Amino acid sequence: MDQNNRTNMFTNVQTAKELPLSERVAEQINQLIREGSIEPGDKIPNEFELAERLNVGRGTIREAVKLLVARNILEIRRGKGTYVKEKIGLSEDPLGFAYVADKIVLANELFELRMQVEPWIAGLAAERITEEEKPQLKELCDIVEETIRRGEDHYEADSRFHHFIASCTHNSVINEINPIVTHGINLFTKLRVPELLEATIRTHREIADAILAGDKAGASAAMVRHLKNNKSTIEYAGEQARK
Protein backbone atom coordinates (compact mmCIF):
# COMPACT_ATOMS: atom_id res chain seq x y z
CA MET A 1 0.00 0.00 0.00
CA ASP A 2 1.46 3.42 -0.93
CA GLN A 3 2.13 6.24 1.52
CA ASN A 4 -0.83 8.38 0.42
CA ASN A 5 -3.29 5.56 0.96
CA ARG A 6 -1.87 4.89 4.42
CA THR A 7 -2.23 8.55 5.36
CA ASN A 8 -5.86 8.53 4.22
CA MET A 9 -6.68 5.77 6.69
CA PHE A 10 -6.33 8.18 9.59
CA THR A 11 -9.27 10.21 10.82
CA ASN A 12 -9.51 13.30 12.97
CA VAL A 13 -9.13 12.35 16.65
CA GLN A 14 -9.90 15.74 18.18
CA THR A 15 -13.53 14.84 18.86
CA ALA A 16 -12.79 11.89 21.16
CA LYS A 17 -12.11 12.96 24.75
CA GLU A 18 -11.81 9.75 26.77
CA LEU A 19 -7.99 9.62 26.70
CA PRO A 20 -5.13 12.12 26.50
CA LEU A 21 -4.62 13.26 22.92
CA SER A 22 -1.31 11.42 22.46
CA GLU A 23 -2.94 8.20 23.70
CA ARG A 24 -5.81 8.64 21.24
CA VAL A 25 -3.40 9.08 18.35
CA ALA A 26 -1.39 6.05 19.48
CA GLU A 27 -4.54 3.96 19.78
CA GLN A 28 -5.70 4.90 16.27
CA ILE A 29 -2.35 3.86 14.79
CA ASN A 30 -2.45 0.67 16.85
CA GLN A 31 -5.99 -0.09 15.70
CA LEU A 32 -4.94 0.12 12.05
CA ILE A 33 -2.14 -2.37 12.78
CA ARG A 34 -4.53 -4.76 14.53
CA GLU A 35 -6.94 -4.56 11.59
CA GLY A 36 -4.15 -5.24 9.11
CA SER A 37 -4.42 -1.88 7.33
CA ILE A 38 -0.81 -1.23 8.32
CA GLU A 39 1.28 -4.40 8.43
CA PRO A 40 4.51 -5.43 10.18
CA GLY A 41 7.44 -3.89 8.35
CA ASP A 42 5.38 -1.04 6.87
CA LYS A 43 6.55 2.54 7.14
CA ILE A 44 3.96 4.87 8.68
CA PRO A 45 3.38 8.41 7.37
CA ASN A 46 5.82 11.05 8.66
CA GLU A 47 4.86 13.38 11.50
CA PHE A 48 3.99 16.27 9.17
CA GLU A 49 1.44 14.14 7.30
CA LEU A 50 0.04 12.60 10.48
CA ALA A 51 -0.27 15.97 12.22
CA GLU A 52 -2.18 17.40 9.27
CA ARG A 53 -4.43 14.41 8.83
CA LEU A 54 -5.25 14.01 12.53
CA ASN A 55 -5.50 17.74 13.18
CA VAL A 56 -3.01 17.64 16.05
CA GLY A 57 0.39 19.16 16.66
CA ARG A 58 3.64 17.51 15.69
CA GLY A 59 4.51 17.27 19.38
CA THR A 60 1.44 15.09 19.95
CA ILE A 61 2.49 12.85 17.07
CA ARG A 62 5.97 12.50 18.56
CA GLU A 63 4.49 11.58 21.96
CA ALA A 64 2.18 9.00 20.35
CA VAL A 65 5.10 7.46 18.47
CA LYS A 66 7.16 7.32 21.69
CA LEU A 67 4.31 5.46 23.38
CA LEU A 68 4.17 2.90 20.59
CA VAL A 69 7.96 2.52 20.49
CA ALA A 70 7.94 1.86 24.25
CA ARG A 71 5.30 -0.82 23.69
CA ASN A 72 7.45 -2.48 20.99
CA ILE A 73 4.91 -1.74 18.29
CA LEU A 74 6.87 0.85 16.28
CA GLU A 75 10.58 1.32 15.72
CA ILE A 76 12.43 4.42 14.55
CA ARG A 77 15.07 3.74 11.91
CA ARG A 78 17.48 6.65 11.87
CA GLY A 79 17.39 8.50 8.57
CA LYS A 80 14.62 6.29 7.19
CA GLY A 81 11.47 6.91 9.23
CA THR A 82 9.16 5.06 11.60
CA TYR A 83 8.12 1.48 10.90
CA VAL A 84 5.83 -1.14 12.37
CA LYS A 85 7.98 -3.77 14.08
CA GLU A 86 8.17 -7.21 12.52
CA LYS A 87 7.60 -8.78 15.95
CA ILE A 88 4.89 -6.53 17.33
CA GLY A 89 4.83 -6.15 21.09
CA LEU A 90 7.90 -8.32 21.69
CA SER A 91 11.05 -7.08 23.36
CA GLU A 92 14.40 -8.43 22.21
CA ASP A 93 15.04 -9.53 25.80
CA PRO A 94 11.64 -9.66 27.55
CA LEU A 95 12.92 -11.45 30.67
CA GLY A 96 16.01 -9.28 31.12
CA PHE A 97 18.55 -12.07 30.61
CA ALA A 98 21.15 -9.49 29.54
CA TYR A 99 21.26 -8.27 33.14
CA VAL A 100 21.91 -11.67 34.71
CA ALA A 101 25.51 -11.45 35.90
CA ASP A 102 26.29 -15.18 36.09
CA LYS A 103 25.74 -16.51 32.57
CA ILE A 104 26.71 -20.06 33.57
CA VAL A 105 23.94 -20.17 36.17
CA LEU A 106 21.55 -18.71 33.60
CA ALA A 107 22.55 -21.33 31.03
CA ASN A 108 21.96 -24.13 33.55
CA GLU A 109 18.54 -22.77 34.44
CA LEU A 110 17.60 -22.38 30.78
CA PHE A 111 18.81 -25.91 30.19
CA GLU A 112 16.33 -27.22 32.76
CA LEU A 113 13.52 -25.44 30.90
CA ARG A 114 14.72 -26.53 27.48
CA MET A 115 14.84 -30.19 28.57
CA GLN A 116 11.15 -30.01 29.42
CA VAL A 117 10.01 -28.05 26.37
CA GLU A 118 12.20 -28.67 23.32
CA PRO A 119 11.85 -32.47 23.03
CA TRP A 120 8.08 -31.97 22.98
CA ILE A 121 8.44 -29.22 20.35
CA ALA A 122 10.60 -31.51 18.18
CA GLY A 123 8.03 -34.29 18.45
CA LEU A 124 5.19 -31.96 17.55
CA ALA A 125 7.18 -30.67 14.56
CA ALA A 126 7.61 -34.26 13.36
CA GLU A 127 3.83 -34.66 13.45
CA ARG A 128 2.98 -31.39 11.76
CA ILE A 129 5.77 -30.47 9.34
CA THR A 130 4.52 -29.99 5.78
CA GLU A 131 6.12 -31.32 2.63
CA GLU A 132 6.87 -27.72 1.62
CA GLU A 133 8.80 -27.12 4.85
CA LYS A 134 10.98 -30.22 4.69
CA PRO A 135 13.59 -28.91 2.19
CA GLN A 136 14.11 -25.77 4.28
CA LEU A 137 14.66 -27.76 7.48
CA LYS A 138 17.29 -29.87 5.73
CA GLU A 139 18.93 -26.75 4.31
CA LEU A 140 19.08 -25.05 7.74
CA CYS A 141 20.65 -28.17 9.23
CA ASP A 142 23.24 -28.18 6.43
CA ILE A 143 24.03 -24.49 7.02
CA VAL A 144 24.82 -25.11 10.71
CA GLU A 145 27.27 -27.85 9.78
CA GLU A 146 28.89 -25.78 7.02
CA THR A 147 29.30 -22.80 9.36
CA ILE A 148 30.95 -24.96 12.02
CA ARG A 149 33.25 -26.57 9.45
CA ARG A 150 34.41 -23.12 8.37
CA GLY A 151 35.34 -22.34 11.98
CA GLU A 152 32.79 -19.52 12.21
CA ASP A 153 30.40 -18.59 15.00
CA HIS A 154 27.28 -20.63 14.23
CA TYR A 155 24.92 -18.80 16.62
CA GLU A 156 22.69 -17.30 13.92
CA ALA A 157 22.52 -20.52 11.93
CA ASP A 158 21.86 -22.58 15.08
CA SER A 159 19.09 -20.20 16.18
CA ARG A 160 17.40 -20.31 12.77
CA PHE A 161 17.45 -24.11 12.88
CA HIS A 162 15.76 -24.27 16.30
CA HIS A 163 13.30 -21.49 15.50
CA PHE A 164 12.30 -23.18 12.26
CA ILE A 165 11.58 -26.41 14.13
CA ALA A 166 9.28 -24.40 16.40
CA SER A 167 7.53 -22.89 13.36
CA CYS A 168 6.92 -26.40 11.99
CA THR A 169 4.60 -27.06 14.95
CA HIS A 170 2.21 -24.49 13.44
CA ASN A 171 1.47 -23.31 16.95
CA SER A 172 1.73 -19.51 17.15
CA VAL A 173 2.40 -19.50 20.91
CA ILE A 174 5.32 -21.92 20.62
CA ASN A 175 6.69 -19.89 17.74
CA GLU A 176 6.71 -16.69 19.83
CA ILE A 177 8.12 -18.08 23.08
CA ASN A 178 10.77 -20.33 21.54
CA PRO A 179 13.39 -17.53 21.19
CA ILE A 180 13.14 -17.06 24.97
CA VAL A 181 13.52 -20.78 25.61
CA THR A 182 16.55 -21.05 23.32
CA HIS A 183 18.23 -17.87 24.59
CA GLY A 184 21.19 -19.87 25.92
CA ILE A 185 22.28 -21.02 22.44
CA ASN A 186 24.56 -18.00 22.17
CA LEU A 187 26.69 -19.22 25.07
CA PHE A 188 27.20 -22.65 23.51
CA THR A 189 28.27 -21.36 20.10
CA LYS A 190 31.05 -19.18 21.55
CA LEU A 191 32.96 -22.22 22.81
CA ARG A 192 35.22 -23.89 20.26
CA VAL A 193 35.49 -27.44 21.64
CA PRO A 194 35.97 -29.80 18.68
CA GLU A 195 34.26 -32.86 20.16
CA LEU A 196 31.29 -30.79 21.33
CA LEU A 197 30.97 -29.12 17.93
CA GLU A 198 31.01 -32.54 16.26
CA ALA A 199 28.27 -33.64 18.65
CA THR A 200 26.25 -30.55 17.66
CA ILE A 201 26.53 -31.48 13.98
CA ARG A 202 25.58 -35.10 14.67
CA THR A 203 22.61 -34.40 16.94
CA HIS A 204 21.24 -31.65 14.69
CA ARG A 205 21.29 -34.16 11.85
CA GLU A 206 19.51 -36.75 14.01
CA ILE A 207 16.81 -34.22 14.96
CA ALA A 208 16.27 -33.14 11.35
CA ASP A 209 16.21 -36.71 10.02
CA ALA A 210 13.62 -37.79 12.60
CA ILE A 211 11.38 -34.78 11.92
CA LEU A 212 11.65 -35.32 8.16
CA ALA A 213 10.66 -38.96 8.68
CA GLY A 214 7.66 -38.00 10.79
CA ASP A 215 9.17 -39.91 13.73
CA LYS A 216 7.74 -38.16 16.81
CA ALA A 217 9.50 -40.30 19.42
CA GLY A 218 12.75 -40.25 17.49
CA ALA A 219 12.70 -36.46 17.15
CA SER A 220 12.08 -36.03 20.88
CA ALA A 221 14.86 -38.47 21.76
CA ALA A 222 17.29 -36.78 19.36
CA MET A 223 16.52 -33.41 20.91
CA VAL A 224 17.25 -34.85 24.37
CA ARG A 225 20.65 -36.05 23.12
CA HIS A 226 21.32 -32.64 21.61
CA LEU A 227 20.47 -30.87 24.85
CA LYS A 228 22.68 -33.23 26.84
CA ASN A 229 25.50 -32.18 24.52
CA ASN A 230 24.66 -28.58 25.41
CA LYS A 231 24.85 -29.57 29.06
CA SER A 232 28.39 -30.79 28.48
CA THR A 233 29.19 -27.41 26.95
CA ILE A 234 27.81 -25.62 30.01
CA GLU A 235 29.94 -27.80 32.29
CA TYR A 236 33.02 -27.08 30.19
CA ALA A 237 32.29 -23.35 30.29
CA GLY A 238 31.94 -23.52 34.07
CA GLU A 239 35.30 -25.26 34.40
CA GLN A 240 36.97 -22.64 32.21
CA ALA A 241 35.41 -19.82 34.25
CA ARG A 242 36.74 -21.27 37.50
CA LYS A 243 40.33 -21.44 36.23
Side-chain angles (χ1 to χ4, degrees):
M1 185 176 295
D2 63 39
Q3 194 75 3
N4 288 334
N5 286 340
R6 288 198 195 104
T7 304
N8 291 336
M9 296 172 193
F10 295 90
T11 58
N12 192 311
V13 295
Q14 289 283 13
T15 56
K17 302 297 182 183
E18 297 84 4
L19 295 170
L21 192 54
S22 58
E23 283 278 5
R24 281 179 262 152
V25 172
E27 178 53 31
Q28 184 159 7
I29 296 170
N30 203 18
Q31 182 64 32
L32 291 170
I33 295 168
R34 287 195 295 265
E35 293 172 350
S37 299
I38 302 178
E39 299 179 349
D42 279 353
K43 182 179 180 180
I44 70 169
N46 64 43
E47 67 180 42
F48 295 99
E49 295 171 302
L50 289 176
E52 181 178 355
R53 180 64 181 169
L54 297 171
N55 192 27
V56 295
R58 289 170 53 198
T60 299
I61 298 298
R62 284 193 290 270
E63 287 301 314
V65 168
K66 286 180 184 177
L67 289 170
L68 294 173
V69 168
R71 295 167 189 167
N72 295 301
I73 294 169
L74 297 180
E75 62 178 336
I76 298 172
R77 301 179 189 173
R78 193 174 300 278
K80 294 184 178 180
T82 303
Y83 291 77
V84 181
K85 291 196 74 170
E86 295 288 349
K87 290 287 187 180
I88 296 171
L90 292 182
S91 166
E92 296 295 325
D93 185 17
L95 301 184
F97 289 147
Y99 298 95
V100 176
D102 194 328
K103 300 303 182 187
I104 301 300
V105 169
L106 174 62
N108 274 298
E109 291 174 348
L110 283 167
F111 171 79
E112 292 176 351
L113 176 62
R114 292 183 69 187
M115 278 295 287
Q116 297 302 312
V117 175
E118 285 199 81
W120 170 67
I121 289 175
L124 198 59
E127 281 189 323
R128 297 182 177 179
I129 190 170
T130 67
E131 290 300 319
E132 292 75 20
E133 290 169 328
K134 288 181 178 181
Q136 188 172 352
L137 178 62
K138 184 180 184 305
E139 180 183 11
L140 290 171
C141 186
D142 291 342
I143 290 171
V144 175
E145 178 172 356
E146 292 163 6
T147 305
I148 291 173
R149 299 288 185 211
R150 291 196 300 268
E152 299 172 1
D153 183 353
H154 61 288
Y155 167 63
E156 292 295 338
D158 201 307
S159 294
R160 287 197 298 272
F161 176 73
H162 283 273
H163 295 169
F164 188 73
I165 290 172
S167 74
C168 290
T169 66
H170 299 277
N171 180 307
S172 61
V173 176
I174 291 173
N175 206 31
E176 295 298 339
I177 68 171
N178 197 60
I180 300 172
V181 175
T182 59
H183 180 86
I185 288 174
N186 193 22
L187 172 65
F188 309 138
T189 63
K190 299 298 182 187
L191 299 171
R192 311 300 301 173
V193 185
E195 58 270 28
L196 296 177
L197 291 173
E198 286 299 322
T200 294
I201 292 170
R202 184 183 67 255
T203 54
H204 270 198
R205 186 68 59 191
E206 290 171 355
I207 293 165
D209 287 347
I211 292 174
L212 292 170
D215 182 357
K216 180 178 180 180
S220 295
M223 184 62 78
V224 169
R225 290 192 293 273
H226 175 64
L227 293 172
K228 286 182 177 178
N229 173 59
N230 285 355
K231 179 66 171 176
S232 298
T233 308
I234 296 171
E235 291 168 351
Y236 176 83
E239 291 170 3
Q240 294 299 109
R242 288 190 291 272
K243 288 182 179 180

